Amino acid sequence: MTRNIKVAIAGVGKIARDQHLPAIAGNNGYTLVACASRNAQVDGCRNYRTIEELLASEPELDAVSLCAPPQVRFAQAQAALKAGKHVMLEKPPGASVTEISLLSALAREQGVTLFASWHSRHAPGVEPARVWLSDKTVTSVQVRWKEDVRRWHPGQHWIWEPGGLGVFDPGINALSIVTRILPQAFFLTSAELLVPSNLQNPIAANLVFQDAKGAPVRAEFDWRHGPVEQWEIEVETDRGTVHLAQGGKVLTIAGATLDVGPEREYPGLYAHFHDLITRGASDVDVSPLQHVADAMLLGGRTLVEAFVE
Ligand code: NAP
């Protein structure tokens, strides 16, 4: 019989409402018992203003899914882990790379699951792309991840503040796919960060990496794009080209488009979290965040036109 996990959400904003609540409702392995959000309430469960109130009032809770911006992720995760709860982190898993290792150690000490989720890895084309690429020699990779920030982040000031990642907030989704599907590790060699003159974080970035065998991996991230998103990854190999489009929903290999089934990113995340809890395991891969940190370390900054929403 499937174990029923009593779960709560902390930070009820755009992604909690668009994806987490429907994914939990659609999985009979979970019951949503409560939410913690300073300004929002969710019908059909108990509501608290802070995660501390939630944890103090819900001793029977098994797990917490953290959906607030990354700048508050560590404090919320630490509180939930200390209370003995399994924890799922929205992407990015934190505001710094190092804080995640402290959370991993705490989860081990407490004997609970920590899942640093990367929703784009559950796009239906990603796993078949990874399997196909596993025995090929990659000769070059081109990533184009472009969208309109006004459409996808309306009124979200935190993305422009330190820790909010700017255009790397969506760009890290592309990096989460590339780090998953390429058979070789890769590292950043140079980056250009285009930063609005009135803000802290880049609105666009051009990155150059190389893989362990010297193949170039290039990425263009841009938030000043028109109404049709471009979320594409092209991997050239010795035996044909892999093309992932629409964020990983559409997979073409050597010119043939494969039937990869329906979109299932967040149902996939919650199925994986359930499996990790059941097996007593954790899944924490910081490599996409590490690449962003490297871009912030190595990237040259060019000031561009001020951004006003
Ligand atoms: P959002 O709409 O701004 O919602 C996050 C919610 O967290 C806010 O509504 C707010 O609720 C709470 N919050 C904000 N600042 C807080 C603070 N300082 N302390 C405590 N709670 C705070 O943002 P979002 O788009 O849902 O993004 C949240 C996370 O999901 C980000 O890491 C993002 O990268 C990820 N994500 C977003 C999308 C997307 O399409 N937007 C897609 C995938 C993943 P209260 O005011 O009620 O506390």
Side-chain angles (χ1 to χ4, degrees):
M1 200 181 79
T2 309
R3 179 180 163 194
N4 193 274
I5 292 166
K6 295 188 222 42
V7 67
I9 286 184
V12 178
K14 185 173 188 316
I15 200 60
R17 290 201 190 275
D18 287 357
Q19 297 289 348
H20 289 256
L21 291 170
I24 291 168
N27 185 324
N28 63 12
Y30 292 97
T31 303
L32 180 75
V33 298
C35 288
S37 213
R38 297 162 309 173
N39 301 296
Q41 303 227 323
V42 172
D43 291 342
C45 72
R46 293 179 286 280
N47 288 279
Y48 304 93
R49 284 183 57 80
T50 66
I51 194 162
E52 289 76 18
E53 286 171 34
L54 166 87
L55 294 169
S57 310
E58 298 286 346
E60 302 295 316
L61 189 68
D62 298 307
V64 187
S65 182
L66 300 182
C67 303
Q71 292 97 332
V72 296
R73 196 92 79 225
F74 178 82
Q76 293 192 334
Q78 190 182 43
L81 292 169
K82 280 186 174 170
K85 310 305 175 193
H86 307 292
V87 170
M88 176 160 133
L89 309 170
E90 241 303 352
K91 52 71 39 171
S96 75
V97 182
T98 312
E99 68 191 54
I100 319 302
S101 53
L102 271 71
L103 295 178
S104 287
L106 181 57
R108 271 195 303 278
E109 257 171 60
Q110 295 288 87
V112 295
T113 291
L114 180 65
F115 176 30
S117 73
W118 298 107
H119 63 86
S120 291
R121 287 185 175 177
H122 292 261
V126 170
E127 189 55 16
R130 186 192 69 76
V131 171
W132 192 85
L133 285 166
S134 60
D135 60 354
K136 309 295 182 300
T137 299
V138 171
T139 53
S140 72
V141 181
Q142 179 69 53
V143 178
R144 292 184 193 88
W145 218 259
K146 304 181 183 189
E147 62 183 43
D148 179 357
V149 64
R150 291 183 175 89
R151 171 163 184 213
W152 290 95
H153 293 277
Q156 295 183 350
H157 302 294
W158 60 265
I159 54 173
W160 298 113
E161 287 162 10
L165 299 194
V167 76
F168 291 109
D169 179 82
I172 204 168
N173 298 333
L175 293 172
S176 77
I177 295 178
V178 182
T179 48
R180 179 74 186 146
I181 63 175
L182 291 192
Q184 299 277 331
F186 57 94
F187 66 97
L188 190 84
T189 56
S190 67
E192 181 192 19
L193 311 178
L194 286 79
V195 183
S197 57
N198 58 334
L199 295 169
Q200 301 270 338
N201 284 328
I203 195 164
N206 298 310
L207 312 176
V208 184
F209 305 85
Q210 72 176 59
D211 81 2
K213 289 187 173 170
V217 178
R218 295 196 175 85
E220 294 168 24
F221 301 152
D222 206 325
W223 250 346
R224 303 164 299 179
H225 199 64
V228 180
E229 293 77 30
Q230 188 180 21
W231 292 323
E232 291 177 4
I233 297 168
E234 194 161 85
V235 184
E236 286 187 9
T237 79
D238 56 336
R239 281 183 276 161
T241 301
V242 171
H243 189 256
L244 279 167
Q246 295 179 34
K249 277 196 267 218
V250 178
L251 173 64
T252 305
I253 298 181
T257 299
L258 277 66
D259 180 3
V260 292
E263 201 286 308
R264 51 179 179 274
E265 290 185 18
Y266 280 79
L269 285 187
Y270 276 92
H272 185 52
F273 188 38
H274 197 287
D275 179 56
L276 289 170
I277 294 171
T278 306
R279 291 190 287 113
S282 285
D283 178 357
V284 181
D285 174 13
V286 295
S287 59
L289 186 62
Q290 184 68 65
H291 287 305
V292 173
D294 286 354
M296 296 290 198
L297 266 178
L298 208 50
R301 282 166 191 265
T302 305
L303 286 188
V304 295
E305 190 184 344
F307 175 82
V308 181
E309 188 163 357

